[in-house]
Amino acid sequence: MSFEYRGHMPLDYQPVAYPGSVLRFRGPASDLTRPFVLCLGATETFGRFVHDPYPAQLMRRLEAPVVNMGVMGAGLDVILGDRAIRAGMHKARAIVLQITGAQNMSNRFYTVHPRRNDRFLKASTMLQTVYPEVDFTEFHFTGHLLTHLRACSRDRFAILQHELRTAWRARMLRFLASAPAPVHLLWLSRRPPEEVTPGGRVAAGEPMFITAPLLEEVAAQAASLTVAVSSRAKRTHALRGMFYGPGEEAAARALPGPEAHRCAAEGLAALMQPCQASG
């Protein structure tokens, strides 16, 4: 079993497998034979360090089955490619898709791990040409890689950012066009979309490089968009109600806490309850 600790208090994620996938999703296991709402996303949807993540709260608010298929470290690659997720999408009556960053997916510049999309595997010839002075064997995570490349050259980094945004936009539009059920987008982060600027910082725990105009363009093709962000006052107590172990404080600080999860469930339920009633 998988545990995270805050003092002596364990948080058991009850990892569960679904047919067709080697991934472990957050439990308890759900019945996939009945109509359900499917929640897709990354570490935030999985609910790392949070006892009561938004999919569980949404289930109580809707009084209907909700399946959490959030994946730790996921980007669009695993969401688009995993067989269990694809099967779940075709059985779901509605889909909640957490907005993930543009950094954790394979593109023309680099390749990521197919299941842990935050893991950097290799640089393409194109990226090696743009950054000839960089030894790419030193990097194992996309965040570390991008932080270093930005420090090397802001101008060259802008080329990489443009590619990532272009690839993210294309994959999101493809996902929305092919989804077999209505898709409700969710921005779940410690910062609102308007604080993400082109050429901005490389920050963990947020949809990296996804600016407000880009988000609005994609959201126009979805059933709805919910923005769930902790208030500035609450951000001063960022770790309140989170469960983490020694050495994990920095990771916990980068992720949205219980208040943001409550806001996400509340906002999604308000938009989806009419759909549940009419369905």
Side-chain angles (χ1 to χ4, degrees):
M1 294 196 296
S2 174
F3 296 92
E4 304 293 346
Y5 292 92
R6 186 185 184 192
H8 298 288
M9 298 175 61
L11 183 58
D12 183 3
Y13 296 128
Q14 300 178 272
V16 59
Y18 291 112
S21 177
V22 299
L23 298 172
R24 292 296 179 268
F25 303 95
R26 183 161 182 163
S30 300
D31 181 0
L32 302 183
T33 64
R34 300 183 298 164
F36 57 85
V37 173
L38 177 63
C39 292
L40 303 177
T43 305
E44 294 83 359
T45 293
F46 182 91
R48 189 181 184 195
F49 305 132
V50 176
H51 172 70
D52 195 25
Y54 81 83
Q57 297 185 46
L58 182 61
M59 180 162 59
R60 295 195 298 272
R61 289 178 179 273
L62 293 179
E63 298 182 338
V66 175
V67 178
N68 185 345
M69 283 194 178
V71 180
M72 299 273 280
L76 286 176
D77 285 11
V78 71
I79 293 171
L80 289 168
D82 185 74
R83 290 176 58 190
I85 290 177
R86 289 203 307 270
M89 288 175 58
H90 284 279
K91 294 179 181 177
R93 64 185 304 172
I95 299 168
V96 174
L97 176 63
Q98 176 206 335
I99 299 295
T100 56
Q103 79 282 12
N104 290 339
M105 60 184 194
S106 293
N107 54 80
R108 292 191 300 166
F109 284 106
Y110 60 82
T111 303
V112 300
H113 191 282
R115 292 184 298 278
R116 286 297 303 267
N117 296 163
D118 58 343
R119 305 288 178 92
F120 167 76
L121 291 185
K122 64 179 181 179
S124 69
T125 302
M126 184 183 300
L127 187 58
Q128 293 175 37
T129 301
V130 175
Y131 285 93
E133 75 276 23
V134 175
D135 180 4
F136 291 98
T137 62
E138 298 179 356
F139 303 99
H140 302 287
F141 291 89
T142 58
H144 183 202
L145 169 72
L146 295 172
T147 298
H148 181 80
L149 296 183
R150 184 175 186 269
C152 287
S153 169
R154 295 285 186 94
D155 291 338
R156 286 179 286 169
F157 191 68
I159 299 172
L160 176 56
Q161 280 187 310
H162 177 74
E163 163 65 16
L164 294 178
R165 288 194 180 98
T166 300
W168 183 88
R169 175 185 177 277
R171 264 170 248 188
M172 281 293 293
L173 292 177
R174 187 171 80 232
F175 178 95
L176 293 171
S178 63
V183 178
H184 299 266
L185 299 180
L186 171 65
W187 176 282
L188 179 58
S189 176
R190 287 202 180 276
R191 294 203 303 163
E194 54 269 21
E195 290 186 13
V196 180
T197 58
R201 62 178 184 165
V202 176
E206 67 179 38
M208 204 177 293
F209 309 140
I210 310 305
T211 59
L214 180 56
L215 177 62
E216 291 170 7
E217 179 186 358
V218 168
Q221 306 303 315
S224 71
L225 169 64
T226 296
V227 175
V229 180
S230 298
S231 66
R232 290 188 180 274
K234 294 288 186 180
R235 285 183 236 176
T236 61
H237 306 286
L239 299 176
R240 183 172 293 171
M242 299 183 79
F243 296 79
Y244 57 93
E248 295 180 320
E249 180 175 337
R253 285 188 180 278
L255 295 172
E259 189 208 10
H261 280 265
R262 179 190 61 77
C263 290
E266 186 177 79
L268 287 166
L271 292 166
M272 298 177 72
Q273 278 170 341
C275 301
Q276 293 289 114
S278 62

